[in-house]
Amino acid sequence: MATREGKDADIIAKTQEDNDSKYEEELLEGCNALQTGELDRAEQHFAAALKSVHVQGQHKNEAEPLYKLSEVYLQRGIQSGDGSDYTKAAALCNAALVRSKREYIEEAIQNTRKAVICP
């Protein structure tokens, strides 16, 4: 007979699996919409992906939907010429940067510096 703790752990694991699946699905749908130029739809899907991980406190997983949202606003800025869209894109990109794995970014910066200094 399963213990109460075992059943609770199974429920938590299943919920996490469902949330992960929803996150991936929302990102995929957002990418598809972005590729076809459906910016409003892309924004909705990326925001839903962000919300699914933000509520759970999975801040490291927030980087990708934040970055994708920045792409939406960049495209809006290109289409509309509205400077506030560019500002939003930059802010979202910076938010993604803060939540990303900094060691990879620092390594990329170092590699870029080396390429510029010693081509």
Side-chain angles (χ1 to χ4, degrees):
M1 177 179 244
T3 66
R4 173 73 180 165
E5 292 82 17
K7 288 180 184 180
D8 289 346
D10 290 344
I11 291 170
I12 291 169
K14 176 68 173 142
T15 301
Q16 183 62 45
E17 187 177 300
D18 291 345
N19 289 340
D20 291 346
S21 176
K22 178 169 177 45
Y23 172 79
E24 294 294 331
E25 180 182 318
E26 294 292 357
L27 282 178
L28 179 62
E29 289 296 321
C31 288
N32 290 338
L34 187 59
Q35 287 177 346
T36 60
E38 300 173 74
L39 300 181
D40 290 338
R41 195 171 132 242
E43 180 182 16
Q44 290 173 349
H45 285 290
F46 294 139
L50 177 61
K51 184 178 178 182
S52 74
V53 291
H54 179 73
V55 172
Q56 300 171 25
Q58 297 177 347
H59 299 296
K60 64 183 167 106
N61 291 335
E62 293 176 348
E64 187 170 5
L66 285 167
Y67 175 70
K68 293 297 188 179
L69 281 167
S70 77
E71 290 182 339
V72 169
Y73 279 97
L74 178 60
Q75 289 302 314
R76 281 193 178 142
I78 290 169
Q79 290 177 2
S80 70
D82 185 352
S84 68
D85 287 328
Y86 291 113
T87 302
K88 291 173 189 173
L92 287 162
C93 200
N94 281 323
L97 179 65
V98 168
R99 288 162 178 82
S100 65
K101 295 185 177 179
R102 290 184 106 30
E103 63 269 10
Y104 295 120
I105 294 166
E106 290 171 6
E107 182 179 330
I109 290 169
Q110 291 300 323
N111 290 338
T112 303
R113 284 184 184 151
K114 289 176 187 176
V116 171
I117 295 170
C118 303

